[in-house]
Amino acid sequence: MKPSGEDRAARAGGPWEECFEAAVQLALRAGQIIRKALSEEKRVSTKTSAVDLVTETDQAVEALILSELQERFPSHRFIAEEAAAAGAKCVLTPSPTWIVDPIDGTCNFVHRFPTVAVSIGFAVNQELEFGVIYHCTEERLYTGQRGRGAFCNGQQLQVSGRQVGHAPFTDLSKALVLTEIGPRRDPATLKLFLSNMERLLRTGAHGVRVIGSSTLALCHLASGAADAYYQFGLHCWDLAAATVIIREAGGIVMDTSGGPLDLMACRVVAAGTREMATLVAQALQTINYGRDDER
Ligand code: IPD
């Protein structure tokens, strides 16, 4: 009997190795398309708000990724940003499920601000197995596979506060914190967003940064270039791949309530240490964006 794809993959390094390799190849291909399109004219439309943008490149890249994956893995399920915007349900079942953001940082992309990424996460039995994020302009490929570490262009990643021989870094007053604004601009949401930022700054945090891409901000955290991240208003496709990468780099990803991460809850706190994540969570007021699986 000929060995199946799964048999071959299992021998090569794990049951989902073939899927992981497919994700890497597709992220690189998608990255090439996005890099080229960055400097070209774009057709821009809006989705849930006037600042929630989509372009023909988001749609083309998502179509490419989904069609290739559907052909290779016909029994798998898919959650993807632009399909969700068109009305597809976001339901994470125990089946192998791909969670795709074709361009994270679409607003950056529209403005030619070169901080844009492709993000592909993969879950089985509702557990995240691997994540692949490609920083399209800097050509940095971030990967994480459950139990097998996190890497950027082959170099192993480690969050801050975990260096051998150092006490865990838990001092929010010396931390560099990242966040993103989210898609709403109504006065009540803005007031809460700014008040959360003020609360963090009042702790004495060295800085709070907003770079316009949740996935790449989370990759900076995984790389140890920042100490904590929080956000209300992001989606499962912003979070899935990055969560594996951060966990495999030794970090913590959790709900803003301080409880376990809920991928569908549109909110997150992540940090190098649980102590740091808890301090950030305690400083925040909740902004309710609803749930991805209830839209
Ligand atoms: C968005 C970006 C943005 C963040 C939003 C995300 P998109 O993703 O990461 O920085 O504030 O919450 O949804 O729309 O560019 O894929």
Side-chain angles (χ1 to χ4, degrees):
M1 199 168 78
K2 253 177 92 187
S4 69
E6 275 185 15
D7 293 339
R8 284 196 303 276
R11 265 187 258 121
W16 307 112
E17 192 64 23
E18 189 187 350
C19 299
F20 173 72
E21 289 302 333
V24 167
Q25 292 315 318
L26 279 168
L28 295 174
R29 271 174 71 188
Q32 239 176 11
I33 296 170
I34 295 164
R35 213 162 37 242
K36 180 168 175 294
L38 187 71
S39 56
E40 294 169 356
E41 281 305 308
K42 303 166 185 82
R43 257 201 327 272
V44 184
S45 323
T46 59
K47 298 190 287 185
T48 61
S49 77
V51 295
D52 188 7
L53 308 179
V54 60
T55 69
E56 70 272 45
T57 309
D58 296 70
Q59 287 157 344
V61 166
E62 182 170 303
L64 167 80
I65 294 174
L66 295 197
S67 65
E68 297 263 335
L69 292 176
Q70 271 156 352
E71 199 179 314
R72 281 185 72 170
F73 309 106
S75 65
H76 290 186
R77 298 175 68 101
F78 298 87
I79 295 173
E81 178 173 22
E82 306 317 334
K89 294 272 173 236
C90 293
V91 188
L92 190 59
T93 70
S95 303
T97 303
W98 297 82
I99 306 167
V100 177
D101 190 341
I103 303 182
D104 183 52
T106 300
C107 183
N108 284 348
F109 176 71
V110 165
H111 291 270
R112 305 181 182 189
F113 188 85
T115 302
V116 289
V118 182
S119 176
I120 304 178
F122 184 74
V124 183
N125 289 324
Q126 287 157 329
E127 185 153 8
L128 292 162
E129 286 290 337
F130 64 74
V132 172
I133 295 174
Y134 185 50
H135 188 317
C136 307
T137 58
E138 294 186 0
E139 302 187 46
R140 283 208 296 260
L141 181 72
Y142 295 89
T143 62
Q145 288 174 277
R146 190 160 68 90
R148 300 175 70 186
F151 298 85
C152 178
N153 289 354
Q155 199 164 4
Q156 184 142 22
L157 299 178
Q158 191 176 45
V159 291
S160 71
R162 293 265 172 219
Q163 279 74 19
V164 178
H166 288 68
F169 180 46
T170 57
D171 189 353
L172 191 47
S173 80
K174 293 192 178 63
L176 185 63
V177 182
L178 302 172
T179 189
E180 288 296 321
I181 305 170
R184 285 200 207 137
R185 296 293 186 273
D186 60 279
T189 302
L190 280 184
K191 197 166 171 205
L192 281 170
F193 172 80
L194 292 170
S195 145
N196 280 339
M197 200 181 251
E198 183 179 350
R199 282 164 176 241
L200 263 300
L201 290 170
R202 278 184 188 278
T203 66
H206 279 175
V208 179
R209 304 273 183 270
V210 177
I211 64 169
S213 160
S214 306
T215 61
L216 290 177
L218 288 160
C219 287
H220 283 310
L221 178 74
S223 310
D227 306 299
Y229 180 86
Y230 69 92
Q231 194 192 341
F232 296 94
L234 77 178
H235 298 281
C236 55
W237 47 82
D238 297 311
L239 206 45
T243 294
V244 192
I245 294 170
I246 291 169
R247 286 180 176 156
E248 289 300 318
I252 300 294
V253 186
M254 65 189 207
D255 188 65
T256 51
S257 65
L261 174 71
D262 179 344
L263 199 59
M264 296 292 164
C266 300
R267 59 195 204 182
V268 72
V269 174
T273 62
R274 181 167 296 281
E275 294 84 345
M276 179 73 77
T278 304
L279 287 173
V280 173
Q282 284 167 349
L284 298 175
Q285 296 165 282
T286 298
I287 306 176
N288 188 357
Y289 269 91
R291 298 182 58 82
D292 282 333
D293 54 4
E294 283 175 5
R295 276 176 240 287

